[in-house]
Amino acid sequence: MKLSVKTFVQLFILGTCWTIVYALPFIQYILYDPLLEQLGCSNTQLGLLMTIFGLGNIFGAPVGGWLADRFDYKKIFVASIVLNGVLSIIFASHITYVTAVGIWLLMAVDVLVMNYPCHIKIVRMLASDADQGKIFGMNESFVGITSTIVNAILLAIFAKLGSSAWGFQVVVYVIGAIALVLAIPTYFVMKDIAKNEAKVAAEVKEEKKEKMTGKDFLEIIKNPATWLIGFGIFSVYTCAVSMSYFTPYFTAVMGGTVAVSGFISLVRTYGLRLVGAPIGGWLSDRLHSVSKVLIVVYIIGIVSLLALVGFVNYLTAGVFIFITLVVGTIVYMGKGSYYALVSELEVPRERSASTIGVAAALGFSP
C-alpha cells in the first residue's frame, strides 16, 4: 500500500479530530493544577470527572457502535466535532465544578458514543483489508503528531497569558474554536470517505446490507471475534496503564531527577508512538496476521514487567530506562495494530463500529 498525499492529509485531519475531542476531558494531563484551582475542588472530585467520562467507554461505546452502523456514521462524526466545540465554549464561559460535571457527562456522550466508534470505522474505510495494519498504524502516529502540536499550542497560550485564570479560560475557548473550525475540513474528508466506501466495498465484493438491527447487535455480542478484539485491546491497554506509573516511580523510588524523568516520559509518550505504531501496523500486514504481532507484544510485555518486579532490588537507572523504552515500544506496536483485528477476524465492514464499540467496553476497562 502506497499512501498518497491525499491520504496523509486525511489522516492528519482525523488525527487532529481525535486530539481535539479528547483535549478538554483530558486537560488535567497538561494543566492539572490550573484546572484544580479554577474548579475549586479536591483531587478526589477531579478524579470523579474522569470516572464520569471513563464510564462512557463501558456503557457508551457499544451504543455508539450500533448508532454508527445503523445510521450515517460520517454525519455523526462531523456532528460530534461541532458539539465538542460548543461544549468547550460553554464550559469556558462558566467554569465551575457543577458545570464541569455536566460538561464531562456530555463529553462522554460526544466523544465515546458519537466520535470514537465512527473514527475507527472511518479509518478502516481508508484502505483495503490487506492494508489494515498499515492504515491503523499510521492513524496512531498521526494522533501522536497532532497531540504534540495541539498540546504545545495550548501550553504556549497558557504561558503567554501568564498562567492565569484568564489564561486557562482562553485555552478552553481555543479548544472550542479549533473544533468548530476543524468541522469544515472534516466535512470534506467525509465526502471523500463516502466515495472510498463505495470503491472498497466493490473491491471486496460486498453487497449492500440492511441497516443494523437489534438482532444483529445481539449477534455481535455473542460473536467470539468481538471478545477476542476486546481482550486484544485489554492486554495492550493494561501495559499502557502500568507504564503511566513509570515516571513517578523513577523520581520517587529510584531518585531520578524530574528533568530526566520528564524527558523519558516525552520520548515514551510521543517519540515511541511515532515509531512503534507504524512498525506494528507494517509487521501485521507483512506477516498477514495481526494476532501474531500481538502475541509477540504480549510476551515481551509480560517478560518486561515481570523483570521489573522480580529484579526491583537490583535495578539501575539504565536498566529501568531500557525496560521503560521496551514496554513503550511494544505498547504502541500493539496500539498500531489491534484495531486491524476486525479484518483478520473477518468482521463485516458494516458491523465494524458496533464490534469495536462492544470490544472497547472490555478493552478500556483497565
Side-chain angles (χ1 to χ4, degrees), residues 311-329:
F311 300 97
V312 65
N313 295 324
Y314 308 97
L315 283 178
T316 63
V319 173
F320 182 81
I321 292 172
F322 175 75
I323 293 177
T324 299
L325 296 179
V326 169
V327 175
T329 301

Side-chain angles (χ1 to χ4, degrees), residues 2-60:
K2 292 183 179 180
L3 293 177
S4 64
V5 174
K6 184 178 183 180
T7 305
F8 274 109
V9 172
Q10 290 173 331
L11 285 171
F12 183 82
I13 293 173
L14 290 172
T16 308
C17 288
W18 182 287
T19 297
I20 208 65
V21 297
Y22 284 97
L24 183 56
F26 287 98
I27 196 170
Q28 67 182 49
Y29 283 12
I30 61 171
L31 295 173
Y32 186 93
D33 289 330
L35 177 62
L36 199 68
E37 182 180 347
Q38 292 306 305
L39 295 181
C41 64
S42 66
N43 291 296
T44 303
Q45 288 175 307
L46 197 56
L48 178 61
L49 291 181
M50 289 309 300
T51 301
I52 292 171
F53 182 77
L55 287 174
N57 267 322
I58 299 175
F59 301 106

Side-chain angles (χ1 to χ4, degrees), residues 181-259:
V181 172
L182 186 61
I184 298 173
T186 302
Y187 169 78
F188 290 102
V189 169
M190 292 306 104
K191 292 186 70 174
D192 286 336
I193 293 295
K195 297 176 183 176
N196 201 50
E197 183 179 24
K199 179 182 177 182
V200 172
E203 289 177 354
V204 296
K205 299 180 180 179
E206 287 187 344
E207 297 178 359
K208 181 68 175 177
K209 302 294 193 333
E210 295 296 325
K211 290 184 177 181
M212 177 69 63
T213 63
K215 182 180 179 181
D216 293 330
F217 192 73
L218 288 177
E219 289 178 359
I220 287 170
I221 294 176
K222 293 187 293 183
N223 189 347
T226 303
W227 297 99
L228 283 171
I229 295 168
F231 279 116
I233 298 172
F234 180 96
S235 302
V236 174
Y237 199 66
T238 298
C239 277
V241 171
S242 302
M243 191 172 63
S244 67
Y245 292 97
F246 283 19
T247 300
Y249 185 87
F250 184 69
T251 54
V253 179
M254 301 198 68
T257 65
V258 174

Side-chain angles (χ1 to χ4, degrees), residues 2 17 26 29 64 107 118 123 128 134 174-175 199 205 225 255-256 269 275 279 290 294 339 343 346:
K2 292 183 179 180
C17 288
F26 287 98
Y29 283 12
M107 281 284 183
C118 292
V123 174
S128 64
K134 292 188 187 73
V174 169
I175 291 173
K199 179 182 177 182
K205 299 180 180 179
T269 305
V275 175
I279 290 176
V290 180
L294 289 178
Y339 288 124
S343 294
E346 299 181 347

